[in-house]
Amino acid sequence: MNALEAKHITKKYAEHVALDDVSIQVPEGAVFGLLGPNGAGKTSLIRIINQITGPDEGEIVLFGESLQAKHVSNIGYLPEERGLYKKMKVGEQAMYLAQLKGMRKQEAKQKLEAWFERFEIMAWWNKKVEELSKGMAQKIQFVTTVLHEPKLLILDEPFSGFDPINVELIRNELMRLKDEGASIILSTHNMGSVEEICDNIALINKSKKVLEGRVDDIREAHAHQEYELRFKGTAIAFANALWTNFELLSQEGDQDLQRARVRLGEGMKLNDLLRAVVDHVELIDVNRNLPSMNDIFIQTVTQNAEEHE
Amino acid sequence: MSKIGLVIGREYSSRVRKKSFILMTILGPLLFAGIIAAAIWVSVADNTEHEVLVVDYAGMLSYVNPDNGRMEASYPEIFKGDEKLQFHFTDQLPSDSSFMNSPYTLMLEFDDSILAAKKAHLYYKDLPSTQVSMRITGALENGIERVKVRENDQIDYHTYKRLKTSISLAKFDIMHKEDASLDQEKGIVGMMLAIIIFFFIFLYGSQVMRGVIEEKSNRIVEVIVSSIKPFQLMMGKIIGIGLVGLTQFLIWIVLSIVIFSVAGMIFESGGFDSVAAVNGLRSGGQTPIDFETFLQQQDGFSLLVSINWPLILFMFFIYFIGGYLLYGSLFASVGAAVDSETDTQQFLMPVMLPLFFSYFVAIMSVNNPEGFAAKVFSFIPLSSPIIMMIRTPMNSTTIWELLLSVALLFATAVFFVWLAGRIYRTGILMYGKKPSYREIWKWIKFNS
């Protein structure tokens, strides 16, 4: 079952179309990356899922049910514009937010205390938020997002504005929550984290979905037949060994260790490449060169822009 | 607890625990009492000399002295007067112009209907001080009581109580007789209530605005509206803050009652002796009066005792709730439209303007509560809460006027709340550039 399905979502504002027939599928238990340049419509989609706004057309299905008010307690949302009441005490505030999510007082208190112990922030309970550092406040925000054990977590740009220690902490917590069965949607610009933690992605550009699928599949699909080879031997010998069917993209190193990137020509296989060079240099290892999500992101978005022109 | 209840609870408890709230709540009634004490003190310290012409049509308190053919007081010990107040008797009402040209400053007019109606008319060139009109009232009461007791040699206390007469003076400016000044005195109460309701609506309404801006600038609002509908959040805030206002007002009432009771106890135990002596309050040095009677005799404050407080307070609550809902939702819209308080000016103008305008109309209405402006603006919901606070204590409204005005107010308040809800749900998620009125109009029109 999919944790979430957005079906043909269209959302128009007074001046522009924020989402144009966007459909996505978030598999249960997956980390789903919602990618796209600023203003593409990611936040609009996230707000629709959170029932902050409603779609003009289309439907959201959450764990097999059409989205309703009661689903608020199944979702944990950390918006891009996130903050806390500055004048309110940490514990009181966390309790308030938990109860708004439908938790009972007793339950909220127990779970909060457990989280506070784990993050070693119990001493902050009676402090006002304005007394905390930004990094401390970020921890509280994260705890209040996941406290009610939502089946679906939605984090809008979770790594922007967080300090590196918190980024690491949150990344680990997300992986733990995923292992416990939570499905996670995160919208991000941080392409490094996409490759590392996302199982699936959707790329939204100019209000339209332009790409969706498993990260591995997408990288595979965008891969040119490129390999990186490391070997001992002379660069000239290596270059001479390649026929016209292979393109030498780059080469560097010295006699002891050379590194070369080679693109296969039409109809060529890795075996053909190996056969061509194996007698001329001493191979150490060969790796498939997959495009980074960053490359795919930029490539798709620019392509998209060119098509529009 | 429902979610809106949670919001109300947070808004309420975070505010009533503030030092500023506790301070204002305690200081308010003290300030109020202080103003009244100051007013009493000022009215006591009066040095104008008065010549009173007593027009005694029925000859109840005067007779023609056969020696000189002039009218004189039947009870000269009551009307003997002093350097500040002299009484002269006649049985014929002079024309207004001859009164104007006479040396008399005041003219007291009554006939035998005073026994039943307990009312006399006092015409003045300049409104006499409380002290003076109290002395006149006291003398008149004493005189009328003498008339009543004339045939009783021995009376018991109950008979005395029955005969004891308290007379109210209806005062008229000789120049503008239609402007009964009694209304002006009632207007003091109305004025105070109008000021209080004006400040309550203004202070608590702008608290709604600041609360909305706080949530926006702290960036917490999007977290909250992922758990609760924006409209619920807005209503929770408006209701929570409104309850803070009502709490403050209730505490003020309770504290005021306590202060007046304590002041009364001090007064009756002799603490006010000096004041009482100056005012000649102890009728003939025989009958000590209680605090309530003292207040009754203080013209301006007799209303504090005699006014229909339950009705007035009830109307205050109704108009506060309606006016606050109306203005509070306007303030909430302003808060939602901006990022910080420094940006509010442009949008605050159209909210503050009608509020201040109503306040000025209210000040005018004291002199003419039945006037065209007062009537019209007591139906316009933006001004009715303030104007009606003037008109209600002055008894210048009918029940139908009140009902219509309240109905219009609440219908409009509901409409404004709806309007504010539409501005709010879009505004709270908009950061950066300040919207134009055109954009806000679009927020209202478009579905969220």
Side-chain angles (χ1 to χ4, degrees):
Chain A
M1 186 170 56
N2 284 322
L4 178 124
E5 283 176 48
K7 296 176 177 172
H8 308 291
I9 299 292
T10 297
K11 175 76 184 168
K12 294 183 184 117
Y13 288 110
E15 255 107 38
H16 72 291
V17 178
L19 294 167
D20 185 1
D21 195 25
V22 171
S23 299
I24 60 167
Q25 297 194 331
V26 180
E28 196 166 357
V31 178
F32 188 93
L34 194 57
L35 317 180
N38 284 328
K42 289 171 293 176
T43 301
S44 291
L45 181 58
I46 287 175
R47 283 180 179 163
I48 288 171
I49 299 170
N50 276 298
Q51 303 182 61
I52 293 170
T53 56
D56 295 334
E57 284 163 45
E59 189 194 12
I60 303 281
V61 176
L62 194 77
F63 298 102
E65 287 181 331
S66 189
L67 194 67
Q68 303 155 34
K70 65 164 187 185
H71 288 129
V72 155
S73 57
N74 295 335
I75 300 179
Y77 177 38
L78 184 67
E80 185 176 8
E81 298 285 1
R82 48 185 167 249
L84 296 163
Y85 289 108
K86 288 201 172 67
K87 307 251 176 233
M88 219 173 162
K89 283 178 183 162
V90 172
E92 216 178 325
Q93 177 150 199
M95 288 290 292
Y96 174 63
L97 293 172
Q99 283 173 280
L100 275 184
K101 275 289 180 193
M103 292 178 85
R104 264 189 257 136
K105 220 171 178 175
Q106 201 58 34
E107 186 195 6
K109 184 121 204 264
Q110 274 172 6
K111 294 226 168 102
L112 266 177
E113 279 171 354
W115 273 97
F116 274 45
E117 296 285 355
R118 232 155 67 71
F119 277 13
E120 295 172 350
I121 54 177
M122 208 55 209
W124 303 351
W125 188 275
N126 275 320
K127 277 196 175 149
K128 283 190 180 165
V129 172
E130 59 190 354
E131 298 170 51
L132 303 185
S133 74
K134 221 176 160 192
M136 291 163 149
Q138 287 165 352
K139 277 188 189 164
I140 313 281
Q141 285 160 9
F142 182 76
V143 170
T144 54
T145 308
V146 300
L147 187 76
H148 58 293
E149 295 172 356
K151 291 198 281 181
L152 178 64
L153 259 177
I154 302 175
L155 313 169
D156 199 350
E157 297 291 347
F159 304 118
S160 74
F162 276 27
D163 62 49
I165 297 166
N166 277 344
V167 168
E168 191 54 35
L169 180 84
I170 284 164
R171 193 192 301 247
N172 293 338
E173 287 299 328
L174 285 182
M175 287 301 124
R176 199 177 62 79
L177 289 166
K178 181 194 163 187
D179 291 342
E180 288 174 5
S183 314
I184 300 166
I185 297 177
L186 48 95
S187 116
T188 182
H189 286 126
N190 186 336
M191 291 300 154
S193 65
V194 172
E195 273 158 48
E196 238 174 285
I197 63 178
C198 289
D199 306 306
N200 297 55
I201 63 115
L203 177 56
I204 294 179
N205 190 36
K206 294 191 175 150
S207 328
K208 288 194 166 79
K209 184 186 75 182
V210 289
L211 196 62
E212 183 181 12
R214 288 171 44 80
V215 172
D216 294 343
D217 296 348
I218 287 173
R219 290 180 73 187
E220 191 69 47
H222 282 76
H224 301 286
Q225 292 287 69
E226 273 178 33
Y227 293 90
E228 186 179 291
L229 300 92
R230 294 197 301 168
F231 56 87
K232 282 182 185 168
T234 63
I236 299 168
F238 181 78
N240 287 340
L242 296 175
W243 328 325
T244 47
N245 279 336
F246 304 104
E247 188 187 345
L248 182 58
L249 297 173
S250 69
Q251 188 172 8
E252 55 180 36
D254 55 26
Q255 197 74 23
D256 291 333
L257 183 64
Q258 294 278 355
R259 185 181 284 128
R261 276 173 57 224
V262 177
R263 182 180 289 172
L264 305 189
E266 200 64 40
M268 290 292 116
K269 294 261 158 47
L270 176 60
N271 279 3
D272 300 322
L273 173 63
L274 292 181
R275 245 178 252 124
V277 298
V278 73
D279 293 333
H280 305 279
V281 295
E282 185 188 342
L283 280 170
I284 297 170
D285 56 21
V286 180
N287 279 305
R288 180 96 190 280
N289 211 348
L290 280 176
S292 69
M293 278 313 294
N294 200 37
D295 294 338
I296 297 170
F297 180 90
I298 291 167
Q299 189 197 331
T300 314
V301 169
T302 24
Q303 240 173 37
N304 220 253
E306 280 161 9
E307 281 167 20
H308 275 81
E309 271 162 20
Chain B
M1 188 157 48
S2 76
K3 288 182 179 181
I4 193 162
L6 281 166
V7 178
I8 294 172
R10 197 199 80 84
E11 298 294 339
Y12 184 83
S13 67
S14 68
R15 281 183 174 78
V16 293
R17 284 182 302 186
K18 272 188 190 159
K19 283 194 196 83
S20 55
F21 173 83
I22 297 168
L23 209 67
M24 249 329 267
T25 306
I26 295 171
L27 286 185
L30 288 177
L31 218 65
F32 188 65
I35 290 170
I36 288 179
I40 290 178
W41 186 81
V42 166
S43 71
V44 163
D46 176 56
N47 284 313
T48 325
E49 291 171 19
H50 282 283
E51 304 276 332
V52 185
L53 180 65
V54 182
V55 184
D56 180 10
Y57 295 116
M60 293 172 75
L61 299 174
S62 56
Y63 70 104
V64 181
N65 187 337
D67 294 347
N68 53 18
R70 286 165 57 182
M71 291 200 73
E72 286 182 7
S74 310
Y75 308 100
E77 67 276 23
I78 297 174
F79 294 101
K80 67 174 184 287
D82 54 30
E83 70 278 2
K84 284 173 70 181
L85 187 64
Q86 288 288 340
F87 293 96
H88 309 273
F89 287 84
T90 176
D91 57 1
Q92 269 167 9
L93 186 70
S95 70
D96 289 352
S97 56
S98 66
F99 174 66
M100 280 307 288
N101 295 323
S102 71
Y104 305 120
T105 54
L106 300 167
M107 180 161 68
L108 180 65
E109 178 201 23
F110 59 91
D111 56 23
D112 49 9
S113 71
I114 192 171
L115 288 172
K118 298 176 182 173
K119 278 205 174 94
H121 296 158
L122 185 72
Y123 298 90
Y124 55 84
K125 291 175 181 171
D126 293 306
L127 186 67
S129 71
T130 306
Q131 176 199 356
V132 168
S133 50
M134 211 162 52
R135 282 191 62 182
I136 295 171
T137 316
L140 188 57
E141 283 171 359
N142 252 319
I144 296 300
E145 281 162 19
R146 294 290 177 97
V147 171
K148 288 180 175 176
V149 191
R150 200 178 289 162
E151 277 126 39
N152 293 289
D153 286 339
Q154 291 172 312
I155 57 168
D156 56 24
Y157 181 70
H158 294 290
T159 318
Y160 164 71
K161 280 297 253 191
R162 190 161 49 78
L163 294 178
K164 190 170 163 9
T165 309
S166 83
I167 288 168
S168 64
L169 285 185
K171 293 184 202 155
F172 303 93
D173 188 328
I174 190 71
M175 297 299 284
H176 317 91
K177 277 191 199 163
E178 70 277 13
D179 286 355
S181 68
L182 191 67
D183 283 345
Q184 211 156 4
E185 283 156 8
K186 282 182 178 165
I188 293 173
V189 174
M191 216 48 227
M192 265 182 190
L193 288 169
I195 290 172
I196 292 175
I197 206 166
F198 168 79
F199 274 106
F200 263 56
I201 290 175
F202 176 57
L203 288 178
Y204 285 99
S206 53
Q207 277 205 39
V208 172
M209 181 185 79
R210 252 180 276 131
V212 173
I213 294 175
E214 183 201 8
E215 279 172 353
K216 237 184 124 172
S217 63
N218 284 350
R219 300 289 196 268
I220 180 110
V221 68
E222 195 165 350
V223 176
I224 309 267
V225 294
S226 71
S227 305
I228 179 170
K229 292 219 172 319
F231 185 76
Q232 289 176 303
L233 176 61
M234 186 186 83
M235 277 323 284
K237 186 173 282 297
I238 291 177
I239 294 171
I241 293 174
L243 287 177
V244 176
L246 289 180
T247 305
Q248 183 158 61
F249 191 66
L250 274 179
I251 296 176
W252 279 6
I253 291 173
V254 171
L255 279 184
S256 297
I257 291 171
V258 169
I259 287 175
F260 273 95
S261 314
V262 170
M265 269 153 58
I266 293 170
F267 178 86
E268 275 160 32
S269 71
F272 272 62
D273 262 359
S274 51
V275 178
V278 172
N279 282 313
L281 281 174
R282 309 202 161 195
S283 325
Q286 288 157 7
T287 336
I289 62 166
D290 58 22
F291 190 61
E292 198 176 307
T293 316
F294 169 71
L295 282 181
Q296 252 161 13
Q297 291 182 349
Q298 301 279 333
D299 281 332
F301 309 108
S302 63
L303 294 137
L304 289 178
V305 182
S306 65
I307 209 164
N308 188 352
W309 281 109
L311 172 76
I312 301 290
L313 290 181
F314 177 72
M315 291 321 292
F316 182 92
F317 274 102
I318 295 289
Y319 276 110
F320 170 66
I321 291 167
Y324 165 79
L325 273 180
L326 194 152
Y327 278 99
S329 52
L330 285 176
F331 275 112
S333 316
V334 174
V338 300
D339 282 359
S340 70
E341 267 186 69
T342 48
D343 293 339
T344 54
Q345 266 118 354
Q346 179 200 346
F347 298 115
L348 267 183
M349 263 302 268
V351 180
M352 304 291 282
L353 219 59
L355 197 56
F356 278 100
F357 179 76
S358 324
Y359 182 65
F360 289 119
V361 173
I363 292 174
M364 319 277 224
S365 310
V366 176
N367 292 325
N368 196 2
E370 314 261 351
F372 179 72
K375 283 225 159 151
V376 168
F377 285 108
S378 54
F379 294 112
I380 293 177
L382 283 164
S383 54
S384 63
I386 295 171
I387 312 290
M388 275 304 199
M389 275 305 105
I390 300 268
R391 291 189 63 203
T392 310
M394 295 173 90
N395 293 327
S396 84
T397 57
T398 63
I399 184 80
W400 294 111
E401 282 182 332
L402 278 177
L403 285 178
L404 179 61
S405 158
V406 167
L408 282 173
L409 175 63
F410 275 83
T412 313
V414 167
F415 173 68
F416 274 42
V417 165
W418 173 83
L419 211 65
R422 291 183 81 92
I423 296 175
Y424 181 82
R425 63 181 185 191
T426 306
I428 48 170
L429 298 174
M430 295 283 177
Y431 289 105
K433 125 179 136 56
K434 206 162 54 164
S436 62
Y437 282 109
R438 219 176 112 250
E439 277 168 277
I440 292 178
W441 176 239
K442 278 184 182 147
W443 296 355
I444 295 171
K445 271 198 318 196
F446 275 79
N447 279 322
S448 177

